[in-house]
Amino acid sequence: QAPLVESGGGLVQPGGSLRLSCAASGFTFRNINMRWMRWYRQAPGKERELVASMSKTGDKISYADSVKGRFSISRDNAKNMVNLQMSSLKVEDTAVYYCNVEFLDSDYWGQGTQVTVSS
């Protein structure tokens, strides 16, 4: 099984909300070498963009300027999941969203989930 699997993508109207989830398997968030949990996105014809980051301890959280105040990253240690709550979605949020977990000397990527914001 892939170490990271995203879900929750779909089609939503502008102004709507979606909640993306990333389920981790084969490791837990207590892994001593884990450093960061991140969400990236990549729109067609554009480079991959960092959207949100959370440190292992959860004390450091940051967002891209384009999503500040609209997106929120969170984690569920019991379920071994990291989530991205997205609200007030805009057409320009349309992209494939990827979950990433960074370790001391490696990282894992999910396969991505498509988010399409359109009326």
Side-chain angles (χ1 to χ4, degrees):
Q1 187 174 356
L4 297 175
V5 178
E6 300 98 336
S7 61
L11 174 64
V12 63
Q13 292 186 341
S17 298
L18 277 176
R19 182 179 178 86
L20 305 183
S21 294
C22 174
S25 62
F27 69 98
T28 72
F29 293 161
R30 294 187 300 275
N31 185 295
I32 193 171
N33 290 321
M34 198 181 86
R35 292 294 181 262
W36 290 92
M37 295 171 285
R38 297 185 172 105
W39 284 94
Y40 287 80
R41 68 185 180 186
Q42 187 165 22
K46 294 188 176 182
E47 293 187 354
R48 192 168 293 189
E49 173 191 22
L50 176 60
V51 175
S53 298
M54 175 183 279
S55 62
K56 176 182 178 180
T57 56
D59 62 333
K60 297 177 183 177
I61 295 175
S62 62
Y63 299 95
D65 287 343
S66 58
V67 306
K68 276 182 183 175
R70 301 189 296 120
F71 289 15
S72 178
I73 187 172
S74 64
R75 60 195 285 175
D76 186 331
N77 289 336
K79 295 182 179 180
N80 226 32
M81 297 181 74
V82 57
N83 305 305
L84 186 68
Q85 180 67 45
M86 307 185 295
S87 59
S88 301
L89 283 162
K90 304 176 181 180
V91 172
E92 51 264 41
D93 293 320
T94 295
V96 177
Y97 284 71
Y98 297 90
C99 176
N100 169 264
V101 173
E102 179 187 317
F103 297 86
L104 183 63
D105 55 1
S106 63
D107 63 350
Y108 289 148
W109 288 89
Q111 84 289 350
T113 185
Q114 176 70 46
V115 172
T116 302
V117 184
S118 174
S119 55

